């Protein structure tokens, strides 16, 4: 990291940090309740206070560095403390920090909308903002239902989703997901989607290609649409990669078939690109690989380069027009969040889009994807690895108890946690999903850093499967 590190001020002495870190952990555990965490785990699993970030590296108070191989929960695209994004936010900060977006407007949100619509699949014409991914999903669900109501089909009230999908954790978003770990507890509170088998290629027969499998699995969707189209508002999917659902992947052919069938049956298609958007799958948006335009596209996570919470739902002129009428007809979409379209977040997003425009990001990512593919390939032969799979900048390694039968490790064994702990000690932040170790690094990662990341993952897998 920067040379200013050498000129430590007196209070920056390493011993001081060690104490400061310990104090911070104590203070934290006295008042915080962390996300996605059984807090009792922290009796034995140390919390990691981070003092600063730079590029792909996070640094703790002892000066120990961690390679952020999961992009801080899939949000970071161009590294921590990216000078260009920092500058964009700083400039905006002196201009306007926030203003309500109802009745008022501002330059960053207008420019961001214009640019997103130019980059997005053709036919998307309107941007509706929220401030996190789950809220964007809620917006898309409500908008789709409300569209059908406005055009005189109030009987369309249900959603079709895929098995093993994830769309966030507010009640509506949780309901249309299918990861039981997050969902089962709240089942009595949730609306009931119609769940279709996933095209997830992990389950393909030997000798069957991923495309053949995904295409074959479409039969269940077709049947479901035939049966339920009259009462269904929309089908919601994560294009190409079910990220929270253990990084399971499917072929673009499924999306092409789905688009055609949704049109034929008069059902909307919601593409949740919250995790896969902005280059993760190799193309700017995953939908591009199937050449389709969804009726709603949800974006968040990488939208601000991983800096600030912001989300947006892109939709078509046809949807927009079904809401556009005299006030007294009460057809307006009266949904809002306090921080909708926050100018600082929009400035971070604009700086992020500038980087895509100025650098050959997707070209460099193709090189990185090839490197990750080559370096992780040997793990395919590991006695406890069933599969190494990849879509663009996402690589996942499935650890199993028995390679031949693909018998999974029981979840209680927490094998992934062992990988996490080993990697942390070696200065790499990996955060396996159950038995699946994956890489989703920031795009500014160097070749040597990719090497380190995969080497440490290999060690971790050896230890965890021992
Ligand atoms: C993360 C995620 C969400 C939820 O976004 P939050 O900002 O965490 O609410 C929704 N859908 C997908 C596919 C995601 O990966």
């Amino acid at each position: 990291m920067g040379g200013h590190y050498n000129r430590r001020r007196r209070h920056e002495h390493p011993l001081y940090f060690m104490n400061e870190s310990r104090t911070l952990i104590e203070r934290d555990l006295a008042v915080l309740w962390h996300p996605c965490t059984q807090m009792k785990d922290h009796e034995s699993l140390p919390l990691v206070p981070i003092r600063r970030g730079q590029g792909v590296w996070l640094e703790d108070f002892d000066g120990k560095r961690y390679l952020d191989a999961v992009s801080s929960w899939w949000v970071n695209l161009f590294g921590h403390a990216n000078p260009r994004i920092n500058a964009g936010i700083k400039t905006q900060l002196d201009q306007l920090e926030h203003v309500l977006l109802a009745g008022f407007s501002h330059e960053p949100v207008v420019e961001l909308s214009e640019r997103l619509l130019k980059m997005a699949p053709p036919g998307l014409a309107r941007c509706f903002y929220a401030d996190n991914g789950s809220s964007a999903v809620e917006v898309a669900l409500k908008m789709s239902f409300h569209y059908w109501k406005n055009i005189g089909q109030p009987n369309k009230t249900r959603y079709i989703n895929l098995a093993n999908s994830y769309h966030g954790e507010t009640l509506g978003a949780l309901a249309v997901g299918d990861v039981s770990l997050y969902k089962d507890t709240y089942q009595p509170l949730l609306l009931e989607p119609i769940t279709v088998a996933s095209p997830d290629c992990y389950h393909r027969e030997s000798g069957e290609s991923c495309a053949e499998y995904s295409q074959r699995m479409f039969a269940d969707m077709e049947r479901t649409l035939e049966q339920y189209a009259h009462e269904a508002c929309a089908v919601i999917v994560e294009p190409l990669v079910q990220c929270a659902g253990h990084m399971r992947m499917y072929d673009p052919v499924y999306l092409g078939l789905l688009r055609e069938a949704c049109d034929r049956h008069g059902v909307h298609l919601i593409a949740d690109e919250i995790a896969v958007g902005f280059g993760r799958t190799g193309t700017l948006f995953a939908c591009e690989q199937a050449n389709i335009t969804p009726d709603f596209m949800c974006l968040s996570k990488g939208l601000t380069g991983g800096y600030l919470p912001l989300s947006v739902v892109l939709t078509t002129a046809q949807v927009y027009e079904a809401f556009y009428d005299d006030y007294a007809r009460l057809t307006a979409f009266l949904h809002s969040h306090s921080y909708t379209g926050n100018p600082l977040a929009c400035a971070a997003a604009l700086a992020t889009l500038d980087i895509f425009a100025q650098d050959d990001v997707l070209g460099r990512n193709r090189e990185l994807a090839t490197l990750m593919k080559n370096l992780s390939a040997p793990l395919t032969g590991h006695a406890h690895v069933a599969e190494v799979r990849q879509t663009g900048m996402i690589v996942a390694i499935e650890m199993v108890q028995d390679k031949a039968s693909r018998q999974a490790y029981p979840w209680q064994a927490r094998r992934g946690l062992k990988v996490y702990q080993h990697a942390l000690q070696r200065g790499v932040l990996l955060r396996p999903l159950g038995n699946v170790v994956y890489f989703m690094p920031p795009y500014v990662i160097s070749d040597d850093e990719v090497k380190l990341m995969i080497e440490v993952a290999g060690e971790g897998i050896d230890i965890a499967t021992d």
Side-chain angles (χ1 to χ4, degrees):
M1 287 203 228
H4 56 282
Y5 265 52
N6 302 328
R7 293 197 298 126
R8 285 204 180 99
R9 289 185 298 267
R10 195 154 46 88
H11 76 273
E12 288 186 339
H13 188 277
L15 280 177
Y16 179 90
F17 283 135
M18 235 178 280
N19 291 332
E20 194 177 341
S21 181
R22 208 172 300 143
T23 323
L24 204 56
I25 292 171
E26 278 166 21
R27 284 168 56 202
D28 178 301
L29 293 177
V31 292
L32 266 92
W33 191 341
H34 287 267
C36 203
T37 300
Q38 169 49 266
M39 291 299 291
K40 191 165 190 286
D41 274 0
H42 284 309
E43 288 180 10
S44 54
L45 193 72
L47 198 61
V48 189
I50 291 300
R51 185 172 65 120
R52 70 168 102 200
Q54 182 71 61
V56 298
W57 295 97
L58 297 165
E59 188 187 300
D60 72 13
F61 285 77
D62 304 336
K64 186 174 164 100
R65 303 198 307 160
Y66 306 91
L67 197 169
D68 188 355
V70 299
S71 297
S72 285
W73 259 355
W74 321 342
V75 298
N76 192 291
L77 300 186
F78 299 116
H80 297 276
N82 183 290
R84 287 191 267 178
I85 304 176
N86 286 6
I89 296 170
K90 283 176 185 165
T91 305
Q92 182 57 39
L93 185 57
D94 286 329
Q95 204 68 41
L96 173 69
E97 82 299 332
H98 187 65
V99 63
L100 77 167
L101 201 60
F104 288 78
S105 190
H106 53 84
E107 172 88 30
V109 80
V110 174
E111 192 187 335
L112 179 59
S113 307
E114 289 168 348
R115 288 174 65 177
L116 284 173
L117 293 174
K118 274 202 196 104
M119 302 161 78
L124 294 169
R126 291 280 161 179
C127 295
F128 190 99
Y129 288 87
D131 47 23
N132 64 77
S134 303
S135 298
V137 169
E138 302 283 347
V139 165
L141 296 176
K142 284 176 72 178
M143 244 182 208
S144 173
F145 160 78
H146 200 159
Y147 167 88
W148 295 113
K149 184 173 154 68
N150 279 353
I151 69 158
Q153 297 199 51
N155 49 318
K156 280 175 166 295
T157 57
R158 301 192 69 188
Y159 301 94
I160 298 171
N161 69 347
L162 293 179
N164 190 46
S165 57
Y166 177 89
H167 298 289
E169 300 189 35
T170 54
L171 292 177
L174 190 65
V176 295
D178 186 49
V179 177
S180 57
L181 180 63
Y182 308 128
K183 185 173 175 178
D184 284 359
T185 310
Y186 306 101
Q187 201 72 59
L189 307 181
L190 304 175
L191 56 85
E192 270 181 52
I194 303 150
T195 303
V196 169
S198 172
D200 161 15
C201 296
Y202 185 67
H203 301 293
R204 69 191 181 278
E205 300 294 327
S206 68
E208 190 176 31
S209 74
C210 185
E212 284 163 349
Y213 183 75
S214 293
Q215 177 150 12
R216 177 157 71 81
M217 292 312 285
F218 190 76
D220 193 28
M221 178 64 82
E222 181 64 50
R223 265 195 307 276
T224 304
L225 280 166
E226 261 162 39
Q227 189 179 346
Y228 291 104
H230 64 286
E231 52 175 309
C233 314
V235 176
I236 182 166
V237 298
E238 296 155 273
L240 302 188
V241 188
Q242 298 186 312
C243 293
H246 299 110
M247 298 292 168
R248 292 293 178 77
M249 301 172 182
Y250 61 92
D251 193 90
V253 69
Y254 193 88
L255 295 173
L257 293 168
L258 181 58
R259 176 68 277 181
E260 185 279 324
C262 283
D263 285 342
R264 185 156 36 82
H265 290 287
V267 172
H268 285 143
L269 174 57
I270 302 172
D272 176 354
E273 294 230 10
I274 290 164
V276 295
F278 297 102
R280 287 286 178 201
T281 65
T283 43
L284 189 59
F285 299 111
C287 282
E288 291 171 29
Q289 296 187 37
N291 251 312
I292 61 154
T293 300
D295 300 285
F296 302 91
M297 186 161 86
C298 303
L299 301 173
S300 186
K301 293 206 164 104
L303 173 60
T304 62
Y307 266 67
L308 288 163
L310 182 70
S311 65
V312 62
V313 178
L314 276 53
T315 190
T316 61
Q318 188 185 1
V319 168
Y320 177 76
E321 276 152 22
F323 292 77
Y324 195 91
D325 208 335
D326 296 329
Y327 185 83
R329 299 201 42 152
L330 297 176
T331 56
F333 189 60
L334 299 179
H335 182 105
S336 61
H337 296 287
S338 310
Y339 284 101
T340 293
N342 173 262
L344 291 171
C346 289
L350 285 169
T352 300
L353 296 192
D354 283 342
I355 296 175
F356 275 105
Q358 291 158 13
D359 301 2
D360 181 19
V361 175
L362 298 180
R364 169 64 184 152
N365 283 1
R366 274 192 291 276
E367 293 172 7
L368 284 168
T370 303
L371 183 66
M372 289 201 287
K373 183 187 169 77
N374 294 339
L375 294 177
S376 58
L379 284 166
T380 314
H382 193 284
H384 289 284
V385 169
E387 182 178 72
V388 178
R389 52 182 174 267
Q390 178 174 20
T391 301
M393 289 294 286
I394 307 172
V395 175
I397 302 151
E398 184 104 18
M399 298 188 293
V400 285
Q401 188 161 333
D402 185 71
K403 195 177 174 89
S405 67
R406 291 192 160 187
Q407 171 71 43
Y409 284 112
W411 62 267
Q412 294 89 340
R414 302 183 80 180
R415 303 268 170 174
L417 187 63
K418 295 193 172 97
V419 178
Y420 168 82
Q421 286 173 305
H422 171 76
L424 211 56
Q425 195 191 318
R426 289 275 275 118
V428 178
L429 166 50
L430 296 172
R431 206 171 187 282
L433 293 154
N435 298 321
V436 175
V437 180
Y438 70 89
F439 312 117
M440 209 198 276
Y443 305 158
V444 294
I445 193 168
S446 72
D447 290 11
D448 283 344
E449 289 159 347
V450 169
K451 237 173 257 170
L452 173 71
M453 173 177 83
I454 295 175
E455 187 181 296
V456 168
E459 296 164 7
I461 290 167
D462 281 342
I463 291 167
T465 60
D466 198 16

